[in-house]
Every structure is written in structure tokens, then in C-alpha cells.
Amino acid sequence: LRDTARYREGVAVADTAVQWARAVEQGPALAEALYWQGALRVQAGDYAGAEAAFSEGGRAALAGGQLRVAARILVELVAVLGVSQSHHEQATQWSPWARAAIAGSGGDPPLLARLMRYEGLVLVGQGQRAAGLGRLQEALAAHERLTTAAPLDLAALHTDLGHALDRMGQLDEALQHHQRAREITRRELGPAHPTTIAAQYDIASVLTGKGEH
């Protein structure tokens, strides 16, 4: 349901799973269900609801010793707080907890790279553009070291780098990142997908800024 963009239907299924896990007092199942409830609420645009689901899910996962689940949840909590809702200070407070959960669960390089991307976006949102750009570049280096590809995460990171560089007036570098994002999304999603079209719009925006049409 999530992959076919039927987010509201997906939220209803996740809500049912959460209710069932609560009724049978299944802590591990509850944490996992709350993760998906939060993720689908993000996609449906219900950021406050997602924050509530991730907060409860993180507590449930930690209480049950599910550090891998807790790590996934806390990383997305950083995103929904700091990126989706611009609650930068709260996101900054949760980021070390997410890093600790990743480390405690044995490490997860793709998840850590995703967290670094969110941290970079929070810094940019706080007006710390140079620091945010540096963290995004660290995230890109981490992605390039991955043995298992995460192409859409990589495309999103190139988009974020493009936007950050655009704001800093580094248009040539911004253009390169937006072109890379378009290349990946076109290959993975097709030329007519909204994400690919958005990448094309970003390219056009930078070219306009450069005085090229």
C-alpha cells in the first residue's frame, strides 16, 4: 500500500495493526506497527500524527530491547520533527539518541547515512548552511561506501545538496547534483513520475538562475 501511494488506506491498515498489538499486549509487534503507522502518516501529510506514532513506537522498542526497530523509528522521528515540521531544536535533541540506537544495534550504515542527511537538513533549516552542507556531503560519502545500493535515498540526497548549494550561490555544483538526481529517479521511477518531474524543475530553476534557458 505504501509503495502504490495509497497512503490513507495504508494508514487505516496500520491503525488496525496498532490496535491489535495493544489489545494482545504484544510489545514487539506494537513497536513495529507504530513504525509503519508513523511512516504512512508522514506520506499522508499527517506530521503531528506521525510524531506521536514515532514517539510511542520508540519508547515501546526501547522498553522491549528492540534496538534495531528503535533506531529506525528514532531516525524518522528526527526527520518528522526537524525536516517536516521545522522543530529544529527537538530534532537536534533526538539525533544523538538515534545515533546511540544505531550503534547499540550493531551498526546500520544505510540508516546512519539517512540520519546524517536529516541532520544536514536540520542544520540548513537553522540557518547553518555551511555546517549543513558539510553534513550532507558526509552523508553522500557514506552512501558511496555502501555495499547495498539505496538509489532513491541517494537521489533525495543529491536533491538536498542541490538545494543547499543553490541557496549558497554555487550554481554549477547545484546543477550537477540535480542532474544526478534526475538520472537516478528517471531510471528507478520513470520519466513521468512526480519525483522525476520535480528533479527536472530543479534543473530548470538553476539554469534560470545562471541565465541559461
Side-chain angles (χ1 to χ4, degrees), residues 77-133:
L77 180 59
V78 170
V80 79
L81 285 169
V83 181
S84 301
Q85 299 183 100
S86 298
H87 297 163
H88 301 132
E89 293 301 325
Q90 288 178 267
T92 300
Q93 291 169 4
W94 277 108
S95 185
W97 287 90
R99 284 179 173 265
I102 292 171
S105 66
D108 186 331
L111 188 60
L112 180 58
R114 181 179 296 180
L115 176 61
M116 292 167 67
R117 174 191 162 218
Y118 295 152
E119 290 173 340
L121 291 173
V122 169
L123 287 167
V124 171
Q126 289 176 308
Q128 302 180 51
R129 292 182 179 176
L133 178 61

Side-chain angles (χ1 to χ4, degrees), residues 8-163:
R8 294 192 182 280
E9 292 89 339
V11 168
V13 173
D15 289 349
T16 300
V18 168
Q19 292 168 7
W20 172 84
R22 284 202 180 106
V24 298
E25 298 183 352
Q26 285 288 333
L30 177 60
E32 189 72 35
L34 284 164
Y35 167 78
W36 286 108
Q37 184 184 62
L40 286 159
R41 283 180 174 177
V42 168
Q43 297 295 340
D46 178 11
Y47 302 127
E51 178 187 343
F54 288 141
S55 296
E56 183 183 355
R59 292 193 299 271
L62 289 171
Q66 300 169 267
L67 286 181
R68 288 188 179 276
V69 178
R72 287 180 13 233
I73 291 174
L74 294 176
V75 167
E76 296 308 320
L77 180 59
V78 170
V80 79
L81 285 169
V83 181
S84 301
Q85 299 183 100
S86 298
H87 297 163
H88 301 132
E89 293 301 325
Q90 288 178 267
T92 300
Q93 291 169 4
W94 277 108
S95 185
W97 287 90
R99 284 179 173 265
I102 292 171
S105 66
D108 186 331
L111 188 60
L112 180 58
R114 181 179 296 180
L115 176 61
M116 292 167 67
R117 174 191 162 218
Y118 295 152
E119 290 173 340
L121 291 173
V122 169
L123 287 167
V124 171
Q126 289 176 308
Q128 302 180 51
R129 292 182 179 176
L133 178 61
R135 188 61 55 82
L136 290 171
Q137 290 170 332
E138 289 178 31
L140 180 59
H143 265 285
E144 291 173 344
R145 292 193 297 268
L146 296 179
T147 56
T148 302
L152 295 181
D153 278 358
L154 182 58
L157 180 52
H158 277 293
T159 296
D160 296 333
L161 278 162
H163 289 158

